[in-house]
Amino acid sequence: MPKLIRKIRRKIEKLRYREQYSLVVTDKRSGDTVHLMPPRDDCIWADPFPLERDGLLYIFIEQQFAGKNGTLGYITLQSDMSCSGFNQVLEKDFHLSYPHLFESDGELYMIPESNENNSIDCYRCTSFPGVWEFHRTLIPGICAVDTDIIRHNGVFYLVANVAEKPGDSLNQKAFVYYSDSFPDGSWTAHPANPVVDSAAFSRNAGRVFSKDGKLVRPAQDCARFYGRTMHLMEIEELSPSVYREAMLSDILPPEQYNSPGYTAIGTHTYNESEHYIVTDIKTKKRRFP
């Protein structure tokens, strides 16, 4: 019954408020922060993956218009925090999101969320930033979202959120696969799968990064609803036989953007580049005065 009540309340909320994802960018050097809004009320910008090249910040994102599939592309940010429009790089006849970027042997790859295609696919950038070609399917026949690639102690690890059978939640279980090469190696399922089994800590929220000698995995907290908050999880041990992690800290929706009739209610992606931190923010705006 409580789950049904929550669903009813969410439907009522969506009738009263317009919900939207947009981006928040912080310059780590100055502390300056800018809230980047998408161009229209029926559009979201979400799942940001930043990459710095030639003095510019490129932020690869999902753009989605109401009732349509998400597409992938990038925006650029100048040093004065001014922002370009959206430049599309990938569109399919199924939904795309979470444009995970991974560099290996001088090549740049993207592994987008494409669970509607029942596969984890990999694309290679042939002309930065706008030209991407399909490279190969990493794992076929899998219902998975929000894939991350990690290279650790000479081994490649693929972390994804997997629904093992129809009807299973994609927010509940994280699975790990490993390979001795990327992108053309074969992937072996980790013996500890699912390595995380919790709606509060399972779903990936950005690429794994190293900080103060620790390997950190951003994770979504979807226990109450999808995209509510995030946790930073320290991967304490990672090998082809062991996976162990523990929570370091929380990331909450930024309150400074709240105003009458406009509230930050969620955040579900965290990524860093050399000079910037980029997150997304879910807001609700009153539809009627």
Side-chain angles (χ1 to χ4, degrees), residues 33-142:
T33 298
V34 62
H35 183 191
L36 303 178
M37 294 294 294
R40 291 171 28 175
D41 283 343
D42 62 345
C43 170
I44 69 166
W45 282 355
D47 297 350
F49 281 79
L51 184 66
E52 295 179 49
R53 290 272 179 95
D54 303 322
L56 283 177
L57 174 64
Y58 295 84
I59 308 174
F60 287 81
I61 57 173
E62 169 202 353
Q63 176 172 273
Q64 184 178 19
F65 289 94
K68 299 184 180 298
N69 289 326
T71 64
L72 302 182
Y74 67 91
I75 59 174
T76 57
L77 201 66
Q78 308 286 340
S79 58
D80 64 357
M81 302 294 248
S82 61
C83 174
S84 75
F86 178 78
N87 301 278
Q88 184 171 289
V89 301
L90 199 60
E91 180 181 23
K92 297 292 181 181
D93 58 0
F94 48 84
H95 178 72
L96 296 171
S97 64
Y98 202 83
H100 173 75
L101 301 178
F102 186 76
E103 295 186 77
S104 181
D105 294 331
E107 300 280 3
L108 179 62
Y109 298 92
M110 179 190 295
I111 300 94
E113 183 272 297
S114 56
N115 86 88
E116 291 182 6
N117 198 42
N118 204 37
S119 62
I120 297 176
D121 296 329
C122 177
Y123 294 80
R124 184 172 66 92
C125 186
T126 57
S127 178
F128 185 82
V131 183
W132 297 78
E133 66 177 21
F134 176 78
H135 183 72
R136 70 182 292 252
T137 294
L138 301 180
I139 302 179
I142 187 172

Side-chain angles (χ1 to χ4, degrees), residues 107-237:
E107 300 280 3
L108 179 62
Y109 298 92
M110 179 190 295
I111 300 94
E113 183 272 297
S114 56
N115 86 88
E116 291 182 6
N117 198 42
N118 204 37
S119 62
I120 297 176
D121 296 329
C122 177
Y123 294 80
R124 184 172 66 92
C125 186
T126 57
S127 178
F128 185 82
V131 183
W132 297 78
E133 66 177 21
F134 176 78
H135 183 72
R136 70 182 292 252
T137 294
L138 301 180
I139 302 179
I142 187 172
C143 183
V145 295
D146 300 356
T147 296
D148 287 335
I149 303 293
I150 312 165
R151 187 174 188 179
H152 180 65
N153 292 337
V155 179
F156 293 91
Y157 295 90
L158 183 156
V159 186
N161 301 101
V162 176
E164 295 182 272
K165 61 182 185 297
D168 282 359
S169 172
L170 285 163
N171 301 329
Q172 184 66 33
K173 296 179 180 180
F175 280 62
V176 169
Y177 303 82
Y178 62 91
S179 176
D180 59 2
S181 64
F182 176 88
D184 296 323
S186 60
W187 296 92
T188 301
H190 198 284
N193 281 339
V195 296
V196 184
D197 188 352
S198 168
F201 301 103
S202 169
R203 189 155 177 166
N204 289 326
R207 56 190 164 211
V208 173
F209 62 96
S210 180
K211 188 170 187 178
D212 301 326
K214 298 176 180 179
L215 206 57
V216 181
R217 182 180 73 92
Q220 295 186 45
D221 185 340
C222 300
R224 285 181 56 188
F225 62 85
Y226 170 76
R228 178 174 174 262
T229 61
M230 294 183 285
H231 307 295
L232 295 182
M233 311 295 294
E234 179 188 356
I235 300 177
E236 299 176 315
E237 190 170 359

